[in-house]
Amino acid sequence: MLPKIFTSIKDWQAFLKKENLTHSLGFVPTMGNLHAGHQSLLERSVQENDHTLLSIFINPTQFDNHSDLENYPRTLEEDIDIARKTNVDFILIPTFSDLYPDNYTYKVQETHLSHIMEGKSRPNHFDGMLTIVLKLLLIAKPIRAYFGEKDFQQLQLVQGLAKAFFLDTEIIACPTIRDENGFALSSRNSRLSSEQYRQALLFPKLLSGQTQDSLKTIPEILSGCGFQIDYIEEHCGRRFGAVKLGNVRLIDNFCIQNSIQSSNSIPNPL
Ligand code: PAF
């Protein structure tokens, strides 16, 4: 069945109140361009909750680069089709003015974990991300919300947000979905040429420890193979990396210790 689509936050809130869904709603926030990674989050929510809400909103406040925002893939019809096939019940597609009545004069800031890795490379990115996630969680009022480990730092920050602001939503961590070559699925992958894709496979291979290379040699090998390095770092038994190939930015992370702490805990980055 076609999911019920809401473009107005007021309409969604009125519906939520009338149907009294809050005790059984699962939520998957996205920026659209859905792929198998998003689909796995939606499937898990459909499995674990009576109803599932998907939101699609390309959030401008979390982009540090105008051309990245302009070039972000927009595939609404295909996204609705994936939601229908996955048995999603509702889709929220809000507008900027509806979501930001304050025109982003109010924002959420985290002052510790958000300053390393992605936060250092993309100033203000996490302010925008945390602000929109807080807004969406307050609007959706889900019992559970699903986030992928591909964006591990985002996941940790959202778990911290839920704890810091006593949100009534359980944040569920879901494993990264990879293609048959071990490459993490991402909306930005479609911007890689087939030649770049073949080259890019070296990134997860090195980062995962398959080649036994060290934190010191991985950046050297990647640089030598045409990658531009943003960071390669290890924290709490997990190795994180961000690189650029041409104008496509890739991020990934792997658990590199058997004794890694559970992915539900917030690592101390220092
Ligand atoms: O991971 C994403 O797609 C976005 O950061 C999110 C969580 C939907 C917020 O805009």
Side-chain angles (χ1 to χ4, degrees):
M1 220 169 68
L2 201 64
K4 191 170 168 53
I5 297 179
F6 296 84
T7 52
S8 144
I9 293 172
K10 268 206 178 95
D11 288 353
W12 162 255
Q13 286 173 322
F15 178 79
L16 193 61
K17 200 166 175 189
K18 186 168 138 258
E19 301 291 326
N20 193 21
L21 299 174
T22 46
H23 58 286
S24 61
L25 186 70
F27 177 45
V28 180
T30 76
M31 299 204 295
N33 192 232
L34 304 187
H35 50 65
H38 296 113
Q39 209 172 326
S40 75
L41 306 182
L42 291 168
E43 280 165 2
R44 178 131 177 224
S45 174
V46 167
Q47 216 173 56
E48 294 181 351
N49 303 283
D50 291 347
H51 298 96
T52 288
L53 169 70
L54 159 71
S55 70
I56 299 176
F57 177 67
I58 301 179
N59 175 37
T61 67
Q62 71 186 75
F63 284 80
D64 52 316
N65 174 327
H66 189 67
S67 89
D68 195 24
L69 173 61
E70 290 282 292
N71 292 322
Y72 202 84
R74 290 155 167 87
T75 52
L76 189 57
E77 268 182 39
E78 289 89 332
D79 293 346
I80 293 173
D81 202 43
I82 289 176
R84 180 184 60 75
K85 287 183 184 145
T86 319
N87 294 323
V88 165
D89 303 280
F90 316 116
I91 308 180
L92 179 64
I93 311 174
T95 60
F96 179 86
S97 55
D98 223 4
L99 273 169
Y100 287 94
D102 58 319
N103 204 21
Y104 197 41
T105 52
Y106 287 81
K107 59 184 75 170
V108 180
Q109 275 185 336
E110 192 276 350
T111 57
H112 186 57
L113 177 59
S114 70
H115 287 183
I116 63 166
M117 298 194 290
E118 284 303 285
K120 200 167 170 190
S121 293
R122 306 177 63 193
N124 307 319
H125 163 67
F126 284 132
D127 294 359
M129 183 283 289
L130 286 169
T131 303
I132 195 67
V133 168
L134 181 60
K135 283 173 187 270
L136 289 170
L137 291 176
L138 293 173
I139 292 163
K141 296 196 191 335
I143 183 165
R144 297 184 191 90
Y146 296 79
F147 289 81
E149 290 186 341
K150 159 88 173 26
D151 295 303
F152 201 86
Q153 205 180 348
Q154 165 173 285
L155 163 68
Q156 301 279 278
L157 284 164
V158 169
Q159 285 175 329
L161 174 84
K163 201 169 168 198
F165 292 99
F166 306 95
L167 301 182
D168 256 346
T169 301
E170 187 186 355
I171 306 299
I172 311 282
C174 302
T176 302
I177 303 297
R178 299 181 181 277
D179 69 12
E180 65 280 11
N181 297 312
F183 198 61
L185 300 190
S186 157
S187 300
R188 290 181 178 87
N189 292 357
S190 58
R191 289 199 230 146
L192 291 169
S193 67
S194 45
E195 173 58 32
Q196 282 175 322
Y197 171 77
R198 271 193 298 277
Q199 218 180 329
L201 295 180
L202 182 62
F203 179 49
K205 225 179 193 170
L206 286 170
L207 207 64
S208 62
Q210 263 185 62
T211 59
Q212 307 289 323
D213 288 287
S214 71
L215 197 59
K216 185 166 179 294
T217 53
I218 292 171
E220 290 165 10
I221 299 170
L222 287 170
S223 297
C225 293
F227 291 82
Q228 226 178 292
I229 316 296
D230 246 5
Y231 60 83
I232 307 285
E233 294 182 24
E234 285 174 11
H235 300 283
C236 302
R238 194 167 276 270
R239 187 179 286 156
F240 298 84
V243 292
K244 251 179 140 181
L245 200 53
N247 60 4
V248 186
R249 191 164 184 277
L250 308 170
I251 71 167
D252 206 345
N253 68 86
F254 288 89
C255 172
I256 49 162
Q257 267 179 14
N258 294 336
S259 58
I260 180 84
Q261 60 193 53
S262 133
S263 61
N264 275 332
S265 58
I266 299 172
N268 178 353
L270 301 175

